[in-house]
């Protein structure tokens, strides 16, 4: 089954999150990082941060903690998610989904108190054959910007794989 690449470039999501101390500390604990930098303002200051920083992979989970409904009120909604459309069609014929890769390219650290705006976009979609199976790769990129200044803070890329 050939995938419809016309969905490349379409937005996947728009959201705004506030970075809060509790979730940052809980995330550091979950990834077994015991550094006081992720827990104590004084330790963060000594390390050169303007506030308690978020661990490097925190944005992967940030939407689950800081995207309060009132923060989304003025954002233009995404009409339909192209990732869901592609995966839905593929899963209708079976198979499984794997998380293939995740990368984070920072322009500056994320710290407690930041309000960030994220916009996801499907940036690539392609297939590869392997051992008689078709693997479909979906690459989603999320640009995280400072909600006040509009400056780019982070670019996050995620690769999902459907294997038939």
């Amino acid at each position: 089954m050939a995938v419809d690449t016309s969905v490349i470039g379409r937005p996947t999501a728009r959201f705004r999150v506030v970075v809060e101390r509790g979730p940052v500390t809980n995330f550091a604990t979950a990834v077994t990082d015991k550094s006081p930098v992720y827990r104590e303002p004084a330790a963060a200051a000594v390390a050169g941060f303007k506030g308690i920083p978020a661990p490097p992979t925190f944005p992967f989970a940030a939407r689950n903690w800081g995207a309060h409904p009132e923060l989304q009120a003025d954002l233009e909604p995404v009409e339909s998610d192209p990732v869901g459309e592609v995966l839905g069609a593929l899963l209708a014929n079976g198979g499984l989904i794997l998380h293939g890769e995740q990368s984070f390219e920072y322009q500056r650290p994320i710290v407690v108190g930041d309000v960030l705006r994220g916009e996801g976009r499907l940036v690539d979609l392609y297939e590869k054959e392997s051992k008689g199976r078709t693997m479909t790769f979906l690459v989603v990129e999320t640009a995280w910007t400072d909600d006040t200044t509009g400056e780019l803070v982070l670019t996050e890329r995620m690769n999902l794989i459907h294997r038939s």
Side-chain angles (χ1 to χ4, degrees), residues 92-160:
N93 297 314
L96 57 98
I97 298 173
L98 305 166
H99 180 269
E101 184 177 2
Q102 189 91 24
S103 67
F104 304 87
E105 183 180 332
Y106 281 87
Q107 305 304 310
R108 71 159 173 85
I110 293 173
V111 296
V112 169
D114 278 345
V115 178
L116 303 175
R117 185 181 297 220
E119 179 160 339
R121 186 166 303 284
L122 182 62
V123 296
D124 205 359
L125 173 61
Y126 58 94
E127 293 180 325
K128 287 185 178 183
E129 295 295 321
S130 176
K131 299 179 183 176
R133 301 225 178 199
T134 301
M135 296 189 307
T136 304
F137 294 77
L138 296 91
V139 182
V140 177
E141 185 174 281
T142 302
W144 293 84
T145 57
D146 183 295
D147 194 50
T148 303
T149 66
E151 98 182 274
L152 180 65
V153 175
L154 162 73
T155 303
E156 177 184 8
R157 288 178 73 95
M158 177 178 63
N159 191 328
L160 295 173

Side-chain angles (χ1 to χ4, degrees), residues 63-113:
R63 285 181 59 191
N64 297 314
W65 274 320
H68 304 297
E70 67 275 10
L71 295 174
Q72 315 314 309
D74 67 337
L75 296 178
E76 181 183 341
V78 172
E79 290 182 28
S80 63
D81 179 5
V83 173
E85 292 172 20
V86 170
L87 290 178
L90 291 168
L91 287 171
N93 297 314
L96 57 98
I97 298 173
L98 305 166
H99 180 269
E101 184 177 2
Q102 189 91 24
S103 67
F104 304 87
E105 183 180 332
Y106 281 87
Q107 305 304 310
R108 71 159 173 85
I110 293 173
V111 296
V112 169

